Amino acid sequence: MAAEYDELWVYGPDYIPWMSGRIAEALRLGPTDRIADIGSGTGLFAREVAKQLQPHRPVLCVDPSEAMLGQLGMPPPADLTPIVASAEDIAEGRTRLPYEQLDAVWLKESVHHVADPAHTLRGLADRLAPGGRLLVVMLPAAIQYPLFEAALARFEELQPDPAVIEGHLRAVGLSAGLSYVEHELRIDRDKYLGMVRARYMSLLSTFSDSEIEKGIEEMRVAHPEPVLVFPDRFAFVLGRRGGESA
């Protein structure tokens, strides 16, 4: 799926710049920061952040999928460094990073893949420099996507509560806060149905092909309009380590 991931995942041309700008703003990124995108996939957001920020050191794109990271290019851009590793690998110190400490780390919609979020976030927090920031970007506990009913119910079963993640960051000694950002999505209905068929959200992989097709038919009936318009709301859980930034 790596070769088609960007096309399947991106809702529209303004989405990546918008989200990347919100990430950079929340983390208060500066060009001298040592930055890591944990669970970066194909580097959609890291690439845009680097374009906006012009960092002095490459942004680390960390992902367990070598195929996903391969989409950065061969060789990758000078302002991005691919690292094949999971969030747990970084948290446990099993993978050595080019930077001994990090000034800014973000996890964009990847925390739900972590088996033990409290433990892994503790390990990631330990890698922050004084003044370092850790941002978890995630969907809220419930979403208003035009998905079929069973998928929306499954999402609520599987999705961690952002308030719980905020508690994990406080528990490891970070000052933490929770806020929300929202972006209106407009997407061609047939394109969106194709994204659902391709299981663009991980929760959709829990349904069989026949269940997906039944769900798509349900969506066709519920949404006859050619362009779908719906809010994309994200929780930003931000933690900061005390002390001056390096």
Side-chain angles (χ1 to χ4, degrees):
M1 188 176 174
E4 301 175 338
Y5 184 81
D6 290 2
E7 181 181 347
L8 291 171
W9 205 88
V10 177
Y11 295 106
D14 58 341
Y15 175 72
I16 298 300
W18 173 79
M19 175 56 74
S20 301
R22 299 293 74 72
I23 289 172
E25 181 181 35
L27 284 167
R28 298 185 180 181
L29 295 181
T32 62
D33 283 337
R34 297 159 292 182
I35 302 167
D37 175 3
I38 308 292
S40 68
T42 61
L44 281 170
F45 302 101
R47 189 189 303 274
E48 182 65 25
V49 166
K51 177 182 171 183
Q52 295 177 13
L53 187 66
Q54 299 291 301
H56 294 183
R57 289 172 280 202
V59 175
L60 307 183
C61 296
V62 180
D63 198 274
S65 170
E66 191 169 359
M68 286 284 197
L69 291 174
Q71 298 302 306
L72 292 175
M74 296 300 259
D79 52 8
L80 302 176
T81 295
I83 296 175
V84 181
S86 66
E88 291 90 343
D89 291 333
I90 304 302
E92 298 289 343
R94 292 191 293 264
T95 298
R96 190 170 183 84
L97 298 178
Y99 314 134
E100 193 167 321
Q101 292 184 309
L102 296 164
D103 300 301
V105 176
W106 78 79
L107 294 85
K108 166 69 169 63
E109 285 189 88
S110 58
V111 74
H112 59 282
H113 293 300
V114 175
D116 186 347
H119 182 74
T120 298
L121 290 171
R122 178 179 292 277
L124 294 177
D126 286 345
R127 271 135 194 85
L128 293 177
R133 291 85 67 202
L134 172 59
L135 175 66
V136 178
V137 179
M138 59 190 296
L139 291 172
I143 54 176
Q144 298 178 50
Y145 289 13
L147 291 167
F148 53 99
E149 288 301 321
L152 291 172
R154 185 72 48 84
F155 175 86
E156 293 187 23
E157 291 172 16
L158 300 175
Q159 181 69 4
D161 186 336
V164 171
I165 300 300
E166 181 189 14
H168 292 333
L169 296 186
R170 291 186 190 279
V172 301
L174 303 184
S175 59
L178 169 61
S179 61
Y180 289 88
V181 299
E182 190 170 302
H183 180 67
E184 183 181 79
L185 294 178
R186 292 177 173 268
I187 185 166
D188 180 84
R189 186 189 70 155
D190 289 340
K191 177 182 178 181
Y192 188 70
L193 295 178
M195 291 166 64
V196 171
R197 184 173 284 115
R199 295 173 169 84
Y200 85 106
M201 294 180 75
S202 58
L203 73 91
L204 295 171
S205 66
T206 66
F207 293 95
S208 67
D209 288 349
S210 62
E211 288 172 328
I212 289 287
E213 292 307 320
K214 181 181 177 183
I216 285 174
E217 188 53 39
E218 178 188 315
M219 292 165 63
R220 287 186 191 279
V221 172
H223 298 283
E225 64 273 23
V227 177
L228 301 176
V229 181
F230 56 99
D232 206 12
R233 192 165 186 254
F234 290 93
F236 273 40
V237 190
L238 179 65
R240 182 182 177 92
R241 181 169 295 290
E244 294 300 317
S245 182

